[in-house]
Amino acid sequence: MRGDATQSTRAAELAQYVSLTIAIAGLQFGWSVETGFGTPYLLSLGLRKSLVSLVWLAGPLSGLIMQPLVGILSDKSTSRFGRRRPFIVGSTVCTVLCLCVIGWTRQITGGHETLTIWLAVVAFYFMDFAINCLQASLRAIIVDVLPASRQDAGTAWASRMIGVGNVTGYLMGFLDLVHLLPFLGSTHMQVLTTIASTVLGVTVAITCYFTPEKPLVRPPTEANDSLEAFRALFTSLRSLPLVIKRTFRIQLFAWIGWFPFLFYGTTYVADLYVAAHSTDGGSEAETMERGTRAGSLAMFVHALASLASSLILPMFTYSAAVGLPQQQPGPRSSSVLSNIKRVLDGIRARLMVSLPTMWAMSLVIFSLAMLLTLVTSTVFVASMILAICGISWAVAMWVPFSIIGETIRGVASLPYESQMHAAPVSGDYVQLSNNDIPMEVIDDHGLGQDADPQPVPPSTEMSAGTILGIHNVFIVIPQFITAFASSLIFAMFEHIQGSGKAGGQHAQQIALVMSLGGLSAAVAAYLSWKLRSQS
């Protein structure tokens, strides 16, 4: 009976993880459509290359503004539908509308070139702001719903969903969608945006339906001054727990390394391909197109490696909320499979590491991979480097959010390694906010059963949305740093070597930028390693 109850509980938890995070897969699919196909689409409309980079400033600008703002407003929202759900639904509707406008821009403007370009640019900007609003809300609701002991599993599932969205999005680039699905549109972008809109709408609907929220009830005497809360955002940074402050610092250095990889990874492989096949004959445009496909294939393999890592690595980590699992000795079984499983569990227990240790190891891998670009000259090796970085990317999408979520939910700011031979301590837990309590419970029968109907009390301190919004600022700032530094490096090489050089020389310039990002990632690895033993 106990085994049946345990199995039922695990099935219910699995269903909750999937329903809670599946919207992130839909969001990532839509994001991959923008990042993977946005630039060639804008160029096809007639926008100059020099202006395309200005369009992509929408990403860091919206992240810098929207995520902290949405975090504060949703933390204080008293909507009867819950704190996060109104922002999730509203931003989803806006994203779907923008995707539709992008797919049918020429039809909407009647083919007027200037008007078409302006409408597409405005749609991309609005979509970036909506996506950042949606991302902030979906991350915050994970922290709201799951207790501290399940934050690590919840964020691990979010990482897996990101992997699913990435793999599916990159896969779309290899398919002739117009031939396969002609009823969805007459161009590749129309079919893509239609699919992305449908996937996003369905996945968000699943998350909203199966993740009940309780409204925040504010006493009549308490003012709801969101402007005052926003002004207090940066002054409250000093009151953050030490673990969260150090996590933000690690993210600052880590993302200085990640953005060159994300911006130039595909181009790096493509330029190496062009350099290797420049004498094969054929037009320059054809060679560059094949190089672009080679870069896209490398990123697809990267996405597969990231997805596989997100499935495997969480089995070899433990969180501060749960501590290192203790293997209980049991009677030997006559079953060969049972004995094999017992041995494998013992090996896994010996290999388990804390979240900061896993983060530090992944950053070391990423740093070394970026430094190797300086001595790489073949497409195959460059593609393998991008694939290896998929391991680190899976950890980057999982571990920082787990550490932050656990701390928000009340986990003690204790050295991680002190958990290795003891059960989690319950005496020194940091309580950031009195409204960050589980919003639902799972009973013996399944998922999504409402807990005590008492409303969530208001908080006088920062809550999940606010802290995650501040966290995003430390991710966005490196994007400005990277864009400025890479522009200076490229301008310097253009002044020395002149423009129009071979693809191999351009690949070397990109490798220099990526290797500098690797040095920054090495600093992040050192800080993450220190986090494992710091309070």
Side-chain angles (χ1 to χ4, degrees):
M1 294 293 291
R2 176 177 295 181
D4 293 341
T6 301
Q7 187 175 2
S8 176
T9 300
R10 288 178 178 175
E13 288 182 351
L14 176 61
Q16 185 187 30
Y17 291 140
V18 172
S19 63
L20 181 61
T21 60
I22 193 172
I24 295 179
L27 170 63
Q28 192 65 29
F29 181 85
W31 181 256
S32 67
V33 169
E34 179 183 6
T35 56
F37 306 97
T39 295
Y41 178 69
L42 289 172
L43 292 174
S44 71
L45 295 179
L47 187 66
R48 298 197 305 273
K49 285 185 178 180
S50 58
L51 297 177
V52 171
S53 59
L54 297 179
V55 176
W56 300 132
L57 282 177
L61 286 175
S62 58
L64 191 64
I65 297 171
M66 285 301 294
Q67 292 214 23
L69 181 60
V70 169
I72 293 171
L73 295 179
S74 63
D75 282 343
K76 294 180 173 293
S77 173
T78 56
S79 169
R80 65 186 179 92
F81 299 106
R83 290 188 294 173
R84 317 298 179 189
R85 187 181 281 108
F87 291 89
I88 292 173
V89 174
S91 56
T92 299
V93 171
C94 183
T95 302
V96 168
L97 290 176
C98 290
L99 283 169
C100 294
V101 170
I102 290 169
W104 277 266
T105 305
R106 282 197 176 98
Q107 287 74 12
I108 294 174
T109 61
H112 190 282
E113 182 175 344
T114 302
L115 187 58
T116 298
I117 293 174
W118 274 104
L119 181 60
V121 169
V122 170
F124 273 115
Y125 262 81
F126 271 95
M127 187 167 74
D128 270 324
F129 277 81
I131 284 177
N132 271 281
C133 176
L134 180 56
Q135 184 182 51
S137 303
L138 290 176
R139 283 290 188 177
I141 201 172
I142 295 175
V143 179
D144 289 341
V145 168
L146 298 178
S149 60
R150 295 170 60 202
Q151 284 293 317
D152 183 36
T155 52
W157 271 98
S159 176
R160 291 163 187 156
M161 291 300 176
I162 290 173
V164 170
N166 274 332
V167 169
T168 309
Y170 286 122
L171 182 62
M172 294 295 106
F174 298 102
L175 301 178
D176 186 355
L177 297 179
V178 177
H179 177 74
L180 294 174
L181 304 168
F183 54 90
L184 295 182
S186 58
T187 67
H188 191 76
M189 182 57 79
Q190 287 179 356
V191 179
L192 266 181
T193 53
T194 301
I195 295 174
S197 300
T198 304
V199 170
L200 180 62
V202 171
T203 55
V204 167
I206 292 173
T207 294
C208 289
Y209 182 79
F210 288 105
T211 308
E213 282 194 277
K214 288 188 252 181
L216 175 69
V217 176
R218 187 176 304 279
T221 57
E222 183 175 345
N224 186 13
D225 189 351
S226 298
L227 183 59
E228 178 63 29
F230 190 70
R231 285 196 296 265
L233 174 64
F234 294 100
T235 61
S236 302
L237 277 171
R238 66 183 60 184
S239 65
L240 286 172
L242 195 57
V243 170
I244 291 183
K245 286 182 179 179
R246 286 170 174 162
T247 301
F248 289 174
R249 190 181 306 135
I250 296 168
Q251 288 287 69
L252 180 66
F253 285 99
W255 280 90
I256 291 176
W258 276 116
F259 276 117
F261 172 85
L262 297 174
F263 286 160
Y264 305 117
T266 302
T267 307
Y268 173 66
V269 175
D271 286 341
L272 287 176
Y273 182 93
V274 171
H277 296 82
S278 58
T279 59
D280 290 354
S283 66
E284 181 179 349
E286 291 175 346
T287 304
M288 193 62 201
E289 183 179 350
R290 290 195 299 270
T292 302
R293 286 202 298 269
S296 298
L297 178 60
M299 291 305 294
F300 176 69
V301 177
H302 160 83
L304 287 176
S306 177
L307 177 59
S309 299
S310 68
L311 293 171
I312 297 171
L313 293 182
M315 295 189 295
F316 295 92
T317 58
Y318 65 90
S319 65
V322 178
L324 183 63
Q326 302 296 316
Q327 188 180 18
Q328 300 296 333
R332 291 184 175 273
S333 173
S334 58
S335 170
V336 175
L337 292 178
S338 298
N339 289 327
I340 292 176
K341 181 179 182 301
R342 182 175 55 83
V343 172
L344 292 177
D345 287 342
I347 295 174
R348 184 173 72 92
R350 290 184 178 90
L351 294 177
M352 291 189 76
V353 297
S354 66
L355 289 173
T357 302
M358 178 63 74
W359 196 9
M361 292 167 59
S362 72
L363 286 168
V364 168
I365 294 172
F366 177 61
S367 176
L368 292 175
M370 292 297 95
L371 292 174
L372 282 175
T373 59
L374 286 172
V375 295
T376 299
S377 58
T378 66
V379 172
F380 176 78
V381 175
S383 299
M384 290 302 99
I385 288 175
L386 265 61
I388 291 172
C389 290
I391 300 172
S392 303
W393 180 250
V395 177
M397 295 293 100
W398 150 47
V399 169
F401 296 95
S402 289
I403 295 174
I404 294 171
E406 288 177 356
T407 309
I408 292 174
R409 298 296 294 173
V411 175
S413 297
L414 294 176
Y416 272 79
E417 300 304 325
S418 68
Q419 309 278 342
M420 289 192 63
H421 301 292
V425 182
S426 60
D428 290 328
Y429 281 14
V430 175
Q431 186 63 41
L432 277 154
S433 157
N434 61 357
N435 68 324
D436 283 326
I437 57 177
M439 291 187 170
E440 64 174 352
V441 295
I442 301 177
D443 65 4
D444 292 336
H445 302 289
L447 166 70
Q449 304 300 318
D450 288 339
D452 188 339
Q454 293 296 322
V456 178
S459 172
T460 57
E461 303 178 41
M462 287 193 298
S463 190
T466 305
I467 293 176
L468 291 173
I470 299 174
H471 171 238
N472 192 70
V473 172
F474 284 84
I475 293 177
V476 168
I477 290 176
Q479 188 166 348
F480 291 102
I481 297 174
T482 299
F484 179 71
S486 59
S487 297
L488 286 180
I489 292 173
F490 292 147
M492 179 185 68
F493 275 100
E494 287 180 2
H495 178 72
I496 296 173
Q497 300 176 345
S499 59
K501 296 296 181 181
Q505 292 186 352
H506 190 207
Q508 292 174 359
Q509 298 169 20
I510 295 176
L512 177 60
V513 174
M514 295 170 76
S515 64
L516 292 176
L519 293 177
S520 181
V523 176
Y526 170 72
L527 295 175
S528 182
W529 183 258
K530 289 180 63 178
L531 182 65
R532 62 192 282 275
S533 57
Q534 290 176 336
S535 59

